[in-house]
């Protein structure tokens, strides 16, 4: 069951996923996934907090195709994108060649989204990819989470843990596809693309009006976690798409109508800006603090426990936790 590669996306220095080689030799599912990870690349320490608020953040529009292929040895960007854009899928043939896979083609099994950091799972073996997809599908139907995200929220959820259920639909508004919640969807709504979605959440730490939250989606829908946390009145830090739906009057938060609220740069209050050592213009460029931290794969044999893969937090994410006094155990 070889041919599987795990790439860990860490915006401040890319790391291989634990226990699975991301070099020219692929390992099997039986590999232990808990050994200590080593940082690749420069060992230089970052400068003062004020000088490098988003240290190491890679933006695909600033690299050449050749550089992107090289970075993708241990990284990922947006999977699909528009025609002509540099994306993960567009450079998979060159990445396969760079990894010495010959005629075998890499395919994406699991990956974080365009704005999200985290684990990436690629396979050069169709049988392996098929087995993994069946495992993910079966787990989803059985309501067993296979992925865990780490997120920082602007605001603290009302309860320390729970589940978020919402019917969502994609709506094309002013040239942008936006996720819109649907109250009490009818059967016709479901047939027309409305989907009932479910996520689990758990607050790990809180402080300075923010929270470090673990999120486990049980369904798959575009921007599901961002939309779910906005419905909890706790938009994700760096969410410049859905945070505008949460308004505050006299210290009380409430939801604005999703259909009439256009995306805009997230606005943070002055106290939070000071804690983060950011200017308003820097905050407008704040990356989305949503990281695919943990991924479960099936064991080598049917009765073996799942293999747990972990991706370290990006450097800008860790910096935010430090500024807010939040600790991730």
């Amino acid at each position: 069951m070889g041919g599987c590669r795990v790439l860990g996306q860490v915006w401040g220095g890319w790391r291989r996923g634990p226990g699975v080689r991301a070099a020219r030799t692929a390992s099997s599912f039986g590999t232990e996934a808990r050994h200590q990870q080593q940082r690749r690349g420069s060992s230089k320490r970052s400068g003062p907090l004020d000088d490098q608020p988003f240290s190491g953040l890679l933006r695909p529009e600033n690299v050449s195709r050749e550089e992107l292929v090289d970075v993708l040895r241990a990284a990922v960007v947006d999977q699909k994108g528009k025609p002509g854009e540099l994306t993960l899928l567009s450079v998979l043939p060159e990445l396969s060649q760079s990894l010495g896979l010959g005629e075998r083609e890499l395919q994406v099994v699991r990956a974080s989204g365009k704005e999200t950091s985290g684990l990436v799972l690629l396979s050069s073996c169709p049988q392996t990819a098929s087995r993994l997809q069946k495992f993910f599908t079966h787990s989803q139907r059985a309501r067993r989470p296979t992925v865990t995200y780490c997120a920082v929220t602007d605001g603290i959820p009302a309860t320390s843990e729970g589940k978020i259920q919402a019917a969502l639909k994609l709506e094309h508004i002013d040239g942008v596809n936006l996720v819109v919640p649907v109250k009490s969807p009818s059967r016709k709504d479901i047939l027309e693309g409305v989907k009932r979605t479910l996520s689990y959440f758990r607050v790990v730490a809180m402080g300075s009006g923010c929270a470090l939250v673990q999120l486990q989606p049980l369904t798959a829908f575009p921007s599901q976690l961002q939309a779910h946390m906005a419905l909890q009145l706790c938009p994700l830090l760096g969410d410049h798409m859905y945070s505008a739906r949460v308004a505050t009057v006299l210290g009380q938060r409430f939801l604005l109508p999703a259909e009439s609220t256009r995306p805009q740069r997230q606005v943070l209050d002055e106290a939070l800006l000071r804690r983060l050592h950011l200017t308003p213009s820097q905050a407008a460029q704040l990356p989305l603090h949503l990281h695919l931290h943990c991924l479960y794969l099936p064991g080598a044999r049917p009765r073996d426990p799942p293999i747990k893969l972990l991706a370290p937090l990006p450097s800008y994410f860790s910096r935010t936790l430090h500024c807010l006094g939040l600790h991730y155990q």
Side-chain angles (χ1 to χ4, degrees), residues 27-85:
S27 62
S28 67
F29 283 120
T31 306
E32 173 59 39
R34 294 178 181 273
H35 72 265
Q36 182 67 31
Q37 302 176 51
Q38 298 297 325
R39 179 177 293 275
R40 298 180 62 187
S42 173
S43 61
K44 294 181 180 180
R45 303 179 68 177
S46 61
L49 292 177
D50 301 47
D51 297 334
Q52 298 183 356
F54 315 131
S55 174
L57 183 62
L58 175 68
R59 298 190 183 278
E61 63 268 21
N62 295 331
V63 297
S64 68
R65 189 176 189 88
E66 293 74 19
E67 290 170 330
L68 185 58
V69 171
D70 185 57
V71 170
L72 280 171
R73 290 175 182 269
V76 67
V77 293
D78 186 18
Q79 295 181 55
K80 297 180 180 179
K82 299 176 182 178
E85 286 185 337

Side-chain angles (χ1 to χ4, degrees), residues 187-201:
R187 184 176 181 182
K188 180 182 178 181
D189 291 330
I190 299 299
L191 293 174
E192 292 178 350
V194 175
K195 183 172 181 177
R196 292 186 174 93
T197 59
L198 171 65
S199 300
Y200 293 144
F201 73 91

